[in-house]
Amino acid sequence: MKILICGDVVGKAGRRVVCDALPTLRRELDLDFIVVNGENAAGGFGITPKICDQFFDVGADVITTGNHAWDQKDIIPHFDREKRLLRPHNYPEGTPGTGAAIFPDHQGRKVLVLHFMGRLFMPSLDDPFAGVEMALLNRHLGSDIAAIILDFHGEATSEKLAIAHMLDGRISAVVGTHTHVPTADAQVLPGGTGYISDIGMCGDYNSVIGMKKEASIERFRKKLPGPRLEAAEGEATLCAGFIE
Ligand code: FE2
């Protein structure tokens, strides 16, 4: 099975590169399943129902999110309506949506997509290590489930590596998102699980993690409420993890 998972899509530039490239990538890489992390797709902050539809129209099978899941108010009820839209699973009980669900790939095989958020330098959510174990109860890779992938949305590489090693051999791949900076540590762990700390973003890299440089620099230099951050709109690069 061939799976592509696109890193955080940032703003219009990121949407454009994903919408332009996905149909071709699907064909050329013979993809069976596509995940898009869309949490920064709406101007850098969240995602809207309309943007979700655009990603599904060009071939996304599942959209994951992260700490910006709730930035656009009209998306909140959409998490209960649109089952292909996931939020981190370790939000409190009662939060709309889910972060663990099974989807069919293009040949009808079952893919379990897990989506959790780290807690180091991130909002304090429920324990993702215990949460992922709960989500994997009675789920066995290679029995009725053909692939299990985890989009682990977090800041710290240590936390991402720790959860990946904990799951090594039990799931197909752990793919890090959130930092918008691709890491050079793609590897297959000893037990067979694919891993990368961060797949980077789909967005304009002539920027500060996808946002216009000037406002970002101002905010770091002055400890006052800075100018509004806006998504950079130059030519975007698509960064993604390809798992076979
Ligand atoms: Fe994030």
Side-chain angles (χ1 to χ4, degrees):
M1 185 186 298
K2 293 171 179 171
I3 299 172
L4 191 79
I5 173 162
C6 295
D8 311 33
V9 180
V10 185
K12 194 189 294 175
R15 297 202 303 273
R16 197 182 303 130
V17 74
V18 165
C19 290
D20 286 351
L22 267 193
T24 313
L25 286 172
R26 158 159 277 177
R27 216 173 33 249
E28 289 184 353
L29 297 175
D30 194 21
L31 297 172
D32 296 301
F33 196 76
I34 297 175
V35 180
V36 172
N37 185 301
E39 74 146 359
N40 306 110
F45 301 95
I47 188 166
T48 63
K50 192 174 154 206
I51 295 173
C52 290
D53 289 342
Q54 288 170 356
F55 291 155
F56 292 135
D57 286 348
V58 293
D61 295 291
V62 171
I63 297 170
T64 53
T65 53
N67 51 309
H68 287 288
W70 322 108
D71 288 1
Q72 304 291 327
K73 298 301 162 233
D74 57 343
I75 199 69
I76 296 174
H78 205 56
F79 278 92
D80 277 332
R81 287 193 295 257
E82 176 51 80
K83 299 302 176 198
R84 296 170 293 174
L85 174 65
L86 300 181
R87 46 88 171 164
H89 199 61
N90 48 335
Y91 272 98
E93 191 87 34
T95 303
T98 183
I102 292 174
F103 303 91
D105 83 340
H106 298 168
Q107 300 181 44
R109 295 168 294 192
K110 287 181 181 170
V111 181
L112 170 60
V113 182
L114 304 171
H115 185 27
F116 280 79
M117 199 149 87
R119 294 192 296 184
L120 274 182
F121 318 119
M122 299 290 283
S124 58
L125 297 183
D126 293 344
D127 177 1
F129 290 79
V132 84
E133 291 290 9
M134 280 291 290
L136 283 171
L137 272 182
N138 303 318
R139 306 282 196 209
H140 301 293
L141 181 62
S143 54
D144 60 327
I145 298 176
I148 304 176
I149 50 176
L150 167 63
D151 172 348
F152 193 71
H153 197 77
E155 196 76 54
T157 48
S158 57
E159 194 179 22
K160 291 173 172 180
L161 270 163
I163 205 159
H165 279 293
M166 184 185 84
L167 297 170
D168 186 18
R170 292 191 284 154
I171 79 171
S172 312
V174 176
V175 171
T177 57
H178 175 68
T179 72
H180 296 195
V181 175
T183 56
D185 62 341
Q187 61 193 284
V188 176
L189 302 177
T193 295
Y195 175 76
I196 185 168
S197 292
D198 208 295
I199 50 175
M201 67 170 175
C202 300
D204 175 8
Y205 275 80
N206 185 15
S207 68
V208 176
I209 64 169
M211 308 309 275
K212 287 181 180 167
K213 293 176 274 189
E214 297 74 16
S216 182
I217 294 166
E218 276 299 289
R219 288 165 71 107
F220 277 107
R221 289 192 69 194
K222 300 183 179 148
K223 296 299 170 194
L224 292 168
R228 226 166 62 87
L229 288 175
E230 290 176 3
E233 290 177 348
E235 191 185 344
T237 301
L238 185 148
C239 278
F242 175 64
I243 303 146
E244 185 166 13

